């Protein structure tokens, strides 16, 4: 019984975190889908809200936690520099939508609309 309760709790946690919508970019591209890449932190409320928004709107995405993944952090910084976006006072999440890079530097509701 304890194992069943633990399993149900784990499944609810996974679904609540939106893990079901996160996909690997290569898998989605093989399926013909475009994938939004979200660089952020699991401790950032805008990042959490962004993942929730993408999940609720059935938009395929992959999330990289830049606090725990130094390679993703460097990849994000490289993309920002390449697109001449300042890394001073950077606000996360940072989005890569089909090669278009943008940050959370506008009102958050407007930011979310750019994800569609």
């Amino acid at each position: 019984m304890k194992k069943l309760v633990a399993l149900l709790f784990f499944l609810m946690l996974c679904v609540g975190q939106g893990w079901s919508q996160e996909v690997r970019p290569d898998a989605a591209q093989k399926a013909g889908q475009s994938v939004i890449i979200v660089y952020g932190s699991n401790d950032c409320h805008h990042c959490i809200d962004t993942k929730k928004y993408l999940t609720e709107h059935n938009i395929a995405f992959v999330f990289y936690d830049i606090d725990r993944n130094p390679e993703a952090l460097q990849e994000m910084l490289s993309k920002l520099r390449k697109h001449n976006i300042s890394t001073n006072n950077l606000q996360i999440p940072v989005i890569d939508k089909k090669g278009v890079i943008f940050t959370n530097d506008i009102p958050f509701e407007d930011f979310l609309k750019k994800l569609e």
Side-chain angles (χ1 to χ4, degrees):
M1 183 66 168
K2 288 181 182 180
K3 289 181 182 179
L4 180 60
V5 170
L7 178 62
L8 288 173
F9 178 77
F10 178 75
L11 290 174
M12 288 183 346
L13 179 66
C14 290
V15 171
Q17 292 293 322
W19 291 353
S20 61
Q21 285 301 109
E22 294 182 38
V23 296
R24 293 185 47 200
D26 55 338
Q29 288 170 347
K30 287 179 184 176
Q33 297 175 319
S34 62
V35 176
I36 291 178
I37 300 173
V38 180
Y39 298 96
S41 169
N42 283 325
D43 300 322
C44 161
H45 68 92
H46 281 139
C47 300
I48 294 166
D49 291 345
T50 297
K51 293 188 328 183
K52 180 179 176 186
Y53 181 88
L54 291 167
T55 301
E56 288 173 350
H57 288 82
N58 295 316
I59 299 171
F61 71 97
V62 61
F63 178 81
Y64 292 120
D65 186 337
I66 60 172
D67 290 336
R68 295 184 178 99
N69 185 335
E71 292 86 16
L73 173 62
Q74 291 306 313
E75 179 180 296
M76 177 192 77
L77 293 172
S78 175
K79 288 180 181 182
L80 289 167
R81 286 187 208 106
K82 180 180 176 185
H83 288 85
N84 296 317
I85 299 172
S86 175
T87 56
N88 296 333
N89 299 319
L90 182 64
Q91 296 183 33
I92 54 176
V94 172
I95 304 297
D96 179 346
K97 181 181 176 186
K98 300 179 188 178
V100 176
I101 309 299
F102 57 95
T103 64
N104 178 26
D105 61 354
I106 57 177
F108 191 63
E109 291 300 319
D110 294 337
F111 171 80
L112 291 176
K113 289 178 185 175
K114 290 178 73 172
L115 298 172
E116 295 180 5

